[in-house]
Amino acid sequence: LVQVCYGASFAVVASQIKSQKRTLWGDMEESLSRADNIEEGHFAERSWAGLLSKPLSDKEMLAVYVKSNRAFNEKDRACSEAYLGMLVSDAGR
């Protein structure tokens, strides 16, 4: 189970930023500076949660699995490729 950030909005504590190798931020800036709305930017957006959040505990992962009942797949009409594999719950439908 991997945490993912869809979109550019997220919150993070400074200690999580500082826990990364300093070269990471320079490398990332360089790879994202060639233009706006580039493919690398979309990959970076989905990387923020994995880079900057604390890993989920076993108890938290179990809670996510229990609440979800399926994953988005290519048969979902409203599902873009960006969301493939995302766990969802149809309980509210």
Side-chain angles (χ1 to χ4, degrees), residues 1 61-71 86-90:
L1 188 60
M61 283 194 279
L62 180 60
V64 171
Y65 282 127
V66 167
K67 294 286 184 184
S68 63
N69 59 359
R70 67 185 188 88
M86 181 176 74
L87 297 176
V88 294
S89 172
D90 290 328

Side-chain angles (χ1 to χ4, degrees), residues 70-88:
R70 67 185 188 88
F72 268 135
N73 62 56
E74 66 280 349
K75 295 176 184 169
D76 288 299
R77 281 181 276 143
C79 179
S80 74
E81 286 184 13
Y83 296 97
L84 290 177
M86 181 176 74
L87 297 176
V88 294

